[in-house]
Structures are given as C-alpha cells and as structure tokens.
Amino acid sequence: MTLNAPSKLVFLLSLVIAVIALLAALNLLSFVPIPSFWIMTLAYLLLAGATILKGV
C-alpha cells in the first residue's frame, strides 16, 4: 500500500478541526457539545483517510 500526501484543503480542514478540539479542551469553546477527544479523533481520521485514498 502506498501512502499519498493529502491535498492542501484536506490538511487545512484537519488542522482547523484540531484547533477547535484544542480550544474545546481548554474550555475556550464551551458551547461545543462533543468532547474534545472525539473532535481530535475526527481530525486525525480525516487526515489518515486522505493519506490512504489517492487524489483526496
């Protein structure tokens, strides 16, 4: 299996989701109902999926 670099759009989207998770963990975004662990997991899965799939 060959891994591919994710596109810039997917990388930036994953980065934004990770920053939202960090802010939620520090209680700066108290209105987010999802625990920060799951938000960070979503960001990681998005980035991992983009490296596995070609052209994403």
Side-chain angles (χ1 to χ4, degrees), residues 33-51:
I34 305 170
S36 60
F37 171 78
W38 293 114
I39 300 171
M40 188 65 77
T41 302
L42 175 68
Y44 176 75
L45 288 175
L46 177 67
L47 193 59
T51 58

Side-chain angles (χ1 to χ4, degrees), residues 8-41:
K8 288 182 182 180
L9 177 67
V10 172
F11 178 76
L12 290 176
L13 183 62
S14 175
L15 184 65
V16 166
I17 294 172
V19 168
I20 290 172
L22 179 66
L23 293 175
L26 297 174
N27 285 332
L28 296 175
L29 294 177
S30 60
F31 59 87
V32 178
I34 305 170
S36 60
F37 171 78
W38 293 114
I39 300 171
M40 188 65 77
T41 302

Side-chain angles (χ1 to χ4, degrees), residues 1-7 10 45-56:
M1 171 172 40
T2 60
L3 298 177
N4 304 305
S7 66
V10 172
L45 288 175
L46 177 67
L47 193 59
T51 58
I52 293 172
L53 299 174
K54 187 173 185 163
V56 176

